[in-house]
Amino acid sequence: MVRKELPLAITFITGGIVILANFLAPAWFVQTNKDITVWYQIVTALFCGLGVVNLCRIHGKKVSQKREGWPFSVVMLVSMFGFMLIALYVGQQHQLYKNLYNNTIVPLNATMYSILVFYIASAAYRAFRVRSAEATILLVTAAIVMLGKAPIGEAVLGSWVASWTTWIFDVPNTAGMRGIQLGATLGGIAMALRVLIGIERAHFGGTGGE
Amino acid sequence: MANIDRRIIYVIMMLAVIYAFIKPMGLPITVSQHTKTAYNAIDALPAGSILVLGMDFSAGGIPELEPAGKAIFYQCMKNNVRVVFMGMWVMAGDMAERILTEMEPLFPDKKYGVDYINIGYKAGGAPMLEKAVDDIVLAAVGIDHRGNALPGNMAIMQDFKSLKDVSFWVCLSTGTPGTGDWIRIVGDPLKIKGTTDIVSVSIPEQMPYVQSGQLTGIIQGMRGSAEYELLIKRPGRAVAGMDAQSLTHVVILAFILLGNLGYLVRKKS
Amino acid sequence: MVTTNWWLWLAAFFTVSIYTVAFADNNLFRFVESIFVGTSAGYMVTANWFNYIKPQLLNVQKGQYVLLIPFLIGLLVYTRYVRSIAWVSRISLAFTLGYGSGFILSKNFRPDFLTQVIATFRTLDTFNNWLLVFGVITSLTYFLFTVEQKGVVGYASKAGRWVMMIALGAAFGSTVMARVSLFLGRVQFLLTEWMFLVK
């Protein structure tokens, strides 16, 4: 009973306080909402350790069982704890921390995302076909946008490419995206309501009990 | 034609980019109305007012967002507009420090804590902004990115007690939390104008906010950053990247064309 | 001419190593990938520690003992790793989801729905404005699953699909642009800061 009902009650009460504070604004609710906003900040900040614990569990097991690729798990664990130890020891303002950030975190993070350019180019070449009217519209629009947003389009084809690109973004794109956005907003609100009144409980899965 | 090895595509792309950087073509860049609108709004801010730069991006957003971030900071310092860096993304504080490392030597008369401040990353995402609307010191747990106590004796904090004291906001964003949250929590409820410098991939979904007037113009990715650099008359990395951007787009379009030609020929036969 | 700053050499090594995966999966990439995952997780923890957790703990030390409650709620999430008391972690989730749901219900409707609808019909004095209204209505019709898509609704739905195809085409073009920009950023670093080939 307590395993199921207590979390649902906490969800309902917490959400209820936020809603009442924002819509009806009685003094007690407004003040409580201000306080639990700080609580929310603290709780979410503490969640960041979940990633570390999960990585330790998964890769720790891999190392202890000497499964395929275990040396890479060692590298991962050493990098993680190494970075944490150095950062905690020297602090955020130390030059060593800044060098580590600018020459390790930044290049790794930026390059890892940038390799997508190869896959997107290869995928566009293989899959972007004029198979139907809709696919042709999609391809032609994408081509105009790519030329209109790069200076070469305007330099070679003239200013119409840039004007058409602006028009595509400002009119049909805005219309299409707004249609999607209106639907997504209503969907998000419906989902929030389902969570609040306890209809949606999937997020409690995997934590044992009822 | 429809079955070129992917590695050939990669090599040609790499070569195109390297060539464009080494032998720049200097293609002219026209400044779009959206970038001009954002620039004019910031330019019209009176001296002494406060602009917040929301550093809501990670390292992946550096090529597209950092140049405009630097340009906006430069413009503000020139116009004696005070700047507050803060963010909902973990890298916010360090990203701001990257900008400040390059910009601080250009403005030796501007002082940290007087003309600008780096509040840095604070946990909680959008609710953190909500807290900052109420009280910036509480939202920031009384400390800035450099470890100084807030408000301390920093002059800027005397006039910046909450986000209500801000004249304009700019969100440098790669996703969520980001621009939408600034609109929902600061822009719309407080009627404070703002804009976004957004990564190209997110431009389409932000355009409805531009049409509705919830965003004052928009700085669109690396191209937008290049345009902003031109507006402040200080061409930098974004402008330098535009030729390479052009050539890479042409290469990708050429391969799409080739793939389709192969597809059509095969379909016919 | 190459830099003598070994930090930049390290950054260049990471950059080039990651790009090798575009040609074939290899151990050098997996090595650097492991460093990426490790340092990113480490960074996440230290950034939260310095910028939020540590200063809040100092507040507790100064006498704000009520803050121990959210610290307790936050730490309860780690009970999910102990099977017998894993259900207790639901309390942390319940709190954050309750707050988050209330927050969405309070904040999103006006700017993301009401203002958007009003902006659509605000002025109908130009062709583009009419086109915008047409585009929004037909796009929404496409998602109207409770009505059979025949006749007028069918035509509107088809038009909506075309409008969305233009939007998605723009999105694809933008995505290519974004990925290219990221790549340019790294090449720019290699050519400018590491190799001094470009000023």
Side-chain angles (χ1 to χ4, degrees):
Chain A
M1 171 78 175
V2 73
R3 296 183 177 196
K4 204 164 77 177
E5 304 304 337
L6 179 66
L8 291 179
I10 292 173
T11 303
F12 184 76
I13 293 167
T14 316
I17 291 170
V18 178
I19 291 170
L20 283 173
N22 277 287
F23 287 112
L24 300 175
W28 184 85
F29 283 101
V30 172
Q31 189 49 50
T32 310
N33 181 35
K34 284 179 182 177
D35 293 339
I36 63 169
T37 302
V38 175
W39 290 22
Y40 178 86
Q41 286 184 267
I42 295 173
V43 173
T44 50
L46 288 169
F47 279 6
C48 71
L50 281 173
V52 172
V53 178
N54 280 335
L55 285 172
C56 287
R57 277 161 57 95
I58 293 163
H59 289 271
K61 200 180 270 182
K62 208 170 166 183
V63 174
S64 66
Q65 294 174 349
K66 295 236 174 349
R67 274 192 270 153
E68 197 203 335
W70 67 270
F72 296 112
S73 297
V74 174
V75 172
M76 200 285 299
L77 292 169
V78 169
S79 313
M80 184 167 73
F81 287 109
F83 183 86
M84 281 198 278
L85 285 174
I86 293 171
L88 292 174
Y89 185 71
V90 301
Q92 279 185 124
Q93 289 312 309
H94 197 278
Q95 194 53 42
L96 177 62
Y97 175 90
K98 287 182 178 177
N99 281 335
L100 265 178
Y101 174 76
N102 283 318
N103 300 297
T104 305
I105 302 280
V106 168
L108 285 171
N109 195 302
T111 315
M112 201 54 91
Y113 290 115
S114 78
I115 50 176
L116 289 172
V117 72
F118 298 118
Y119 304 129
I120 207 166
S122 162
Y125 164 67
R126 275 169 220 293
F128 222 0
R129 299 279 190 261
V130 283
R131 284 204 174 91
S132 60
E134 279 97 339
T136 310
I137 294 174
L138 194 109
L139 198 150
V140 170
T141 314
I144 294 173
V145 166
M146 283 166 70
L147 286 170
K149 282 285 170 193
I152 200 162
E154 218 175 327
V156 175
L157 301 170
S159 60
W160 67 268
V161 195
S163 310
W164 280 33
T165 303
T166 307
W167 180 81
I168 286 169
F169 274 114
D170 289 356
V171 185
N173 165 74
T174 299
M177 283 298 165
R178 182 165 285 160
I180 295 168
Q181 189 189 32
L182 292 176
T185 304
L186 289 181
I189 288 172
M191 179 55 100
L193 207 56
R194 281 170 65 87
V195 169
L196 198 69
I197 58 180
I199 299 173
E200 186 65 50
R201 302 172 184 192
H203 49 279
F204 291 146
T207 47
E210 295 156 65
Chain B
M1 253 191 310
N3 274 314
I4 299 170
D5 191 306
R6 66 189 166 90
R7 283 164 295 193
I8 295 175
I9 303 175
Y10 302 164
V11 170
I12 292 175
M13 266 174 55
M14 281 181 177
L15 291 175
V17 171
I18 294 168
Y19 176 80
F21 274 120
I22 294 175
K23 294 248 178 243
M25 296 171 276
L27 293 164
I29 301 165
T30 318
V31 179
S32 74
Q33 191 52 49
H34 290 311
T35 312
K36 237 180 256 175
T37 306
Y39 172 85
N40 289 339
I42 295 171
D43 221 43
L45 293 174
S49 53
I50 296 172
L51 176 140
V52 172
L53 270 175
M55 307 297 285
D56 299 317
F57 65 103
S58 61
I62 289 174
E64 294 202 86
L65 308 181
E66 200 179 75
K70 285 177 192 167
I72 293 168
F73 182 80
Y74 183 89
Q75 182 188 14
C76 288
M77 290 300 109
K78 282 266 173 205
N79 294 349
N80 294 317
V81 171
R82 292 176 287 177
V83 175
V84 174
F85 292 93
M86 62 183 285
M88 299 177 272
W89 282 52
V90 277
M91 289 194 186
D94 288 315
M95 287 297 166
E97 286 301 317
R98 280 174 62 93
I99 291 178
L100 290 174
T101 305
E102 197 177 318
M103 288 287 131
E104 274 174 336
L106 301 178
F107 299 98
D109 55 324
K110 301 289 180 190
K111 295 277 174 284
Y112 185 87
V114 178
D115 302 292
Y116 58 90
I117 189 168
N118 179 11
I119 303 273
Y121 159 71
K122 299 297 159 192
M128 184 278 284
L129 281 189
E130 171 82 350
K131 193 73 206 163
V133 167
D134 180 37
D135 187 330
I136 187 65
V137 175
L138 283 181
V141 230
I143 192 168
D144 71 355
H145 183 77
R146 294 184 177 180
N148 303 305
L150 295 176
N153 51 4
M154 283 186 273
I156 193 169
M157 296 308 290
Q158 305 307 314
D159 300 327
F160 179 52
K161 302 210 184 296
S162 78
L163 286 176
K164 290 176 198 142
D165 300 322
V166 162
S167 301
F168 198 84
W169 56 268
V170 183
C171 178
L172 278 63
S173 169
T174 40
T176 307
T179 310
D181 298 296
W182 277 92
I183 292 169
R184 280 174 219 123
I185 294 154
V186 182
D188 272 19
L190 303 180
K191 305 268 179 283
I192 297 173
K193 294 253 177 216
T195 191
T196 185
D197 175 17
I198 193 102
V199 282
S200 306
V201 70
S202 302
I203 298 168
E205 66 199 67
Q206 300 302 329
M207 293 314 289
Y209 293 123
V210 180
Q211 189 272 340
S212 62
Q214 289 162 294
L215 286 175
T216 309
I218 183 170
I219 305 162
Q220 300 174 324
M222 199 186 214
R223 168 70 190 247
S225 284
E227 293 170 7
Y228 215 99
E229 285 180 343
L230 290 177
L231 284 169
I232 63 156
K233 297 182 178 63
R234 212 171 162 268
R237 286 213 157 182
V239 169
M242 278 298 103
D243 284 349
Q245 181 108 37
S246 293
L247 224 51
T248 320
H249 282 194
V250 169
V251 168
I252 293 174
L253 282 172
F255 277 111
I256 292 174
L257 190 69
L258 214 59
N260 276 289
L261 283 176
Y263 166 75
L264 291 173
V265 167
R266 205 162 52 189
K267 204 174 155 188
K268 236 180 185 177
S269 62
Chain C
M1 280 281 278
V2 187
T3 180
T4 50
N5 180 340
W6 76 270
W7 280 109
L8 293 180
W9 270 90
L10 187 69
F13 166 73
F14 287 146
T15 306
V16 174
S17 303
I18 290 173
Y19 284 139
T20 58
V21 78
F23 297 93
D25 195 11
N26 62 80
N27 283 341
L28 182 65
F29 170 75
R30 292 178 71 190
F31 171 71
V32 175
E33 183 190 36
S34 303
I35 298 175
F36 166 63
V37 176
T39 50
S40 299
Y43 181 82
M44 180 75 95
V45 171
T46 51
N48 273 289
W49 169 256
F50 283 120
N51 295 293
Y52 207 79
I53 300 170
K54 190 181 163 190
Q56 282 292 22
L57 282 173
L58 289 173
N59 283 340
V60 174
Q61 209 177 27
K62 284 176 199 159
Q64 295 184 39
Y65 298 117
V66 72
L67 293 178
L68 286 172
I69 301 172
F71 270 103
L72 180 69
I73 296 174
L75 290 173
L76 285 181
V77 82
Y78 295 94
T79 58
R80 64 187 296 118
Y81 298 111
V82 184
R83 195 177 289 264
S84 58
I85 53 163
W87 71 271
V88 179
S89 68
R90 290 175 178 179
I91 292 172
S92 318
L93 292 179
F95 174 77
T96 48
L97 283 167
Y99 184 92
S101 304
F103 196 78
I104 288 171
L105 288 167
S106 316
K107 302 285 174 194
N108 288 20
F109 186 71
R110 198 180 173 86
D112 288 350
F113 191 88
L114 213 57
T115 310
Q116 296 297 317
V117 173
I118 293 167
T120 306
F121 297 97
R122 196 167 41 200
T123 47
L124 294 171
D125 50 356
T126 64
F127 172 72
N128 280 345
N129 288 353
W130 278 102
L131 202 63
L132 186 76
V133 173
F134 173 79
V136 173
I137 291 172
T138 53
S139 309
L140 286 171
T141 313
Y142 178 75
F143 292 108
L144 217 58
F145 299 123
T146 46
V147 180
E148 204 178 343
Q149 306 231 324
K150 287 197 308 194
V152 180
V153 177
Y155 286 122
S157 164
K158 190 159 183 152
R161 206 159 72 179
W162 283 41
V163 171
M164 278 190 288
M165 280 302 150
I166 299 178
L168 294 175
F172 181 82
S174 303
T175 307
V176 171
M177 235 157 39
R179 303 307 171 218
V180 169
S181 303
L182 293 187
F183 178 57
L184 297 185
R186 295 320 298 156
V187 175
Q188 212 167 16
F189 159 75
L190 291 175
L191 298 179
T192 314
E193 286 165 59
W194 183 49
M195 297 171 84
F196 301 139
L197 279 175
V198 180
K199 272 186 188 171

